Amino acid sequence: DVKVTQSSRYLVKRTGEKVFLECVQDMDHENMFWYRQDPGLGLRLIYFSYDVKMKEKGDIPEGYSVSREKKERFSLILESASTNQTSMYLCASSTVANIQYFGAGTRLSVL
Amino acid sequence: QKEVEQDPGPLSVPEGAIVSLNCTYSNSAFQYFMWYRQYSRKGPELLMYTYSSGNKEDGRFTAQVDKSSKYISLFIRDSQPSDSATYLCAMRLTGTASKLTFGTGTRLQVTL
């Protein structure tokens, strides 16, 4: 079974804080993705990575950065959290055929 | 106009009913089509994965793709309360590097 683990289910942070969201997959997948999910907007791609130390911008990268130092780990960084970044964040990893498997999500509240 | 349109629901049906969930899309180049199920406060899980046109069946679930109409459907037979969830359609172009484009999801409630 594919397992994608996100380090936190719920996070509460203050405006201006630096926030790290961690994601680990155990299936040796090359590709990893970060999405945010908001009511009425669906899933929107923030960043993705096709290899270690590689990253590509998705549809909404502003205010975010990522790090992929090891194949199994993909981190999403909010450099200075803002209230409009309150959302559900979902990490996914995919096979060569680009079938994506998701983690349980991190619900982030920025106050 | 969104690239993928999906009625948000909620759709409420009695247990045992046949459910039809649908998405329309505008990009005729999409070749791969997926349905994900998402329970409340959980991540999406893959239900069905199809390539190009035609039908695919897996147990009580049937995925149908009509590329000429740019329309995909997911049918659930003998629906159960455990099917109550949000169903997301997703699609992508050819090429393993292409990203997924998601619908916004349809919330389904199956009542006893």
Side-chain angles (χ1 to χ4, degrees), chain A:
Chain A
D1 258 6
V2 176
K3 194 160 184 187
V4 179
T5 303
Q6 293 184 232
S7 54
S8 305
R9 292 299 309 277
Y10 301 95
L11 273 180
V12 180
K13 296 291 181 181
R14 295 201 178 276
T15 303
E17 277 193 78
K18 191 168 186 175
V19 181
F20 293 87
L21 303 182
E22 306 285 344
C23 176
V24 177
Q25 50 98 359
D26 67 357
M27 284 302 292
D28 201 35
H29 286 166
E30 301 290 339
N31 311 323
M32 296 188 75
F33 306 81
W34 274 106
Y35 295 86
R36 63 178 283 177
Q37 185 177 30
D38 300 288
L41 297 177
L43 273 79
R44 293 180 291 166
L45 182 63
I46 304 171
Y47 267 98
F48 56 103
S49 168
Y50 290 122
D51 203 351
V52 175
K53 297 195 187 294
M54 271 196 55
K55 59 185 178 184
E56 297 280 344
K57 291 180 180 179
D59 298 318
I60 52 163
E62 296 77 21
Y64 303 95
S65 62
V66 290
S67 172
R68 188 142 181 228
E69 296 295 318
K70 293 185 177 182
K71 190 176 186 179
E72 68 271 17
R73 188 179 296 269
F74 192 34
S75 302
L76 180 69
I77 303 153
L78 287 66
E79 295 289 342
S80 178
S82 63
T83 54
N84 63 11
Q85 292 178 310
T86 291
S87 186
M88 172 75 137
Y89 289 89
L90 290 161
C91 174
S93 71
S94 80
T95 64
V96 172
N98 204 2
I99 298 175
Q100 293 189 20
Y101 297 89
F102 285 84
T106 296
R107 191 168 291 275
L108 173 67
S109 295
V110 182
L111 305 178

Side-chain angles (χ1 to χ4, degrees), chain B residues 87-104:
Chain B
Y87 291 79
L88 303 161
C89 64
M91 48 200 77
R92 68 172 181 89
L93 309 172
T94 55
T96 56
S98 65
K99 64 172 188 170
L100 293 184
T101 301
F102 285 85
T104 52

Side-chain angles (χ1 to χ4, degrees), chain B:
Chain B
Q1 186 191 359
K2 291 179 182 172
E3 234 179 333
V4 179
E5 299 276 0
Q6 189 174 8
D7 189 324
L11 177 62
S12 184
V13 301
E15 184 179 8
I18 296 174
V19 175
S20 172
L21 302 165
N22 311 295
C23 287
T24 58
Y25 61 95
S26 56
N27 188 345
S28 57
F30 284 134
Q31 292 285 351
Y32 294 86
F33 304 90
M34 286 134 273
W35 285 96
Y36 285 84
R37 177 176 62 196
Q38 185 175 22
Y39 291 113
S40 182
R41 303 184 187 281
K42 297 283 177 68
E45 56 177 322
L46 183 68
L47 269 181
M48 302 288 281
Y49 178 86
T50 54
Y51 169 70
S52 197
S53 284
N55 290 2
K56 183 174 182 179
E57 191 172 318
D58 184 2
R60 296 185 296 110
F61 298 91
T62 299
Q64 199 170 77
V65 176
D66 182 349
K67 290 194 70 186
S68 62
S69 302
K70 289 185 269 188
Y71 188 88
I72 67 170
S73 300
L74 178 71
F75 297 97
I76 307 173
R77 288 184 300 282
D78 188 25
S79 56
Q80 303 295 310
S82 59
D83 295 327
S84 298
T86 296
Y87 291 79
L88 303 161
C89 64
M91 48 200 77
R92 68 172 181 89
L93 309 172
T94 55
T96 56
S98 65
K99 64 172 188 170
L100 293 184
T101 301
F102 285 85
T104 52
T106 299
R107 191 156 65 90
L108 171 67
Q109 182 73 37
V110 181
T111 57
L112 290 168

